[in-house]
Amino acid sequence: MIHIQNLTYIHPNQDVLFDNIHLTLNRHDKAALIGNNGTGKSTLLRIIAGVLPPSGGVARVEATPYYVPQLFGQYNGLTVAQALRVEEPLQALKEILAGNVTEENLTLLNDDWTIEERCQEALQYWQLDELDLTQPMALLSGGQKTKVFLAGISIHQPELVLLDEPSNHLDVAGRQLLYDSVRNSTSTLLVVSHDRTLLNELDTVLELSKQGVTVYGGNYDFFQEQKRIESQALNEDVHSREKALRKAREVARETAERQQKLDARGRKKQEKAGVPTIMMNTLRNNAEKSTSRLKNVHAEKVGTIAQELHELRKELPDVDKMRFGFDHSTLHRGKVLVTAEGINHRYSEQPLWQQELSFQIMSGERIALKGLNGSGKTTLIRIILGGLEPTLGTILRAESKAVYIDQDYSLIHNGLSVYEQAQQFNYLSLQEHEVKIRLNRFLFSKDEWDKLCSALSGGERMRLMLCCLTISSQAPDLIILDEPTNNLDIQNIEILTAAINEYQGTLLVVSHDRSFLEQVRIERVLELK
């Protein structure tokens, strides 16, 4: 179905994105294409879709791909029917049924007499029953645009489907429809996604990295287990090399000390024996050369082991390199932070929620805030934080320190450098080198300290945000995360998960990512209707 050989893509600025890629996907395979941000997953998908030409090599596809892109802005000037490429056959069918049976209309319809029914059924499946096919794409939400293109799979029934982050804008109900659709599909699927629930519906994982494409014959859970085994072996190698390096340095030090004592003892014997000065100098020079040779031998051995250790550490996953070190909240577990009684909010005289909300948030709890798109999750967050008051009911907030982190990590100021941003949270007046040590812990090397925050990727913004929280004087009592995984690749989701699991305060999470909610140990759900 897909045969790729020696594929290369070079950016217009001459940077090589990937080189010498080999990949084969057979008919009816359902494969996930994963990899860190910047490895070229979306670019590879666009090359397979025929949207982008490769710089070299061969990408042969045996069927016309149906491609669902990650971004839909290029379709804003089209109607839904035009975006789905059904406008002409639908119009031709309408003309024919009205009695205008021309050669042109028959050609446009191409014997597709069920096109209208398939459109209706597909839109109904994706909960778009009320959508008018003549409606402009520009008026649709991100989730609706995604559903329109997913509906196109049922309409066109392609042999090969390429999906680029299809669950990004979908709510819980939409994601479930996607999982069911993928599970029941008979098409060949190639999916780029960080949605681990979706990835577990696929039977092969293709990992794209600088080394090429590595194939793992199983779903994402199987892939993770294999990576865990690889990581464990790598960590054992690192610890073994660290031990060998300590031993080599110790042997070098002991050898040097022993040689110094032998040299000193030899000089004393020579002085007592009355050895002539010229002979003493010769013997001393020979001893120094011997000591130097011995020192060089040990230095070379230490250097070799140190270089091996450096290379091994570079292969460690980023999450294993990082050190979080969050301070704990000062509030005792169980303290009531928020009490809401019968609250609601009105927009244009219409209540936002079907029924008034009553709830408490206790210190130390881990809560998921759920609801369909447009159910008022962001409004409730603003009410909890005190930025908005309910128009009905009462809300009491205990004095506490809260941090709101949205999916764009907007607490990061684009006009500041990485180092300047870290200093914004330096309430304890840490020394410059201490702040830079923290930045290094979060994988910001000295080459990136002067980099503008506006140039950071989603994953980098997330890591800088976590770093800032560790630099501040005290961890927040409450962290609110609003769709924190939307712009992150899998590796950065793992970093975020590890950090959140080390945090001991109160957590309120808005997320459609079922795996993330499970892994950060959510205890209860607050659902909006």
Side-chain angles (χ1 to χ4, degrees), residues 350-370:
Q350 290 295 320
L352 185 54
W353 300 299
Q354 294 176 14
Q355 56 188 34
E356 284 66 50
L357 306 178
S358 296
F359 60 87
Q360 282 190 327
I361 297 176
M362 314 283 251
S363 177
E365 281 193 301
R366 293 187 164 227
I367 305 168
L369 177 58
K370 292 187 176 183

Side-chain angles (χ1 to χ4, degrees), residues 95-161:
E95 292 278 340
I96 291 170
L97 293 177
N100 187 18
V101 185
T102 64
E103 190 65 33
E104 182 183 1
N105 283 332
L106 289 171
T107 301
L108 288 172
L109 184 60
N110 194 26
D111 281 340
D112 193 358
W113 299 97
T114 63
I115 181 68
E116 189 172 24
E117 288 84 352
R118 292 204 313 279
C119 286
Q120 290 171 351
E121 289 171 3
L123 293 176
Q124 185 175 12
Y125 176 85
W126 289 102
Q127 301 173 333
L128 298 171
D129 328 38
E130 299 175 3
L131 191 67
D132 189 335
L133 288 170
T134 62
Q135 191 167 339
M137 288 287 289
L139 299 180
L140 305 187
S141 68
Q144 287 174 316
K145 289 176 182 177
T146 301
K147 288 180 178 180
V148 163
F149 278 89
L150 291 173
I153 299 172
S154 301
I155 295 168
H156 294 288
Q157 300 172 357
E159 292 183 63
L160 174 61
V161 177

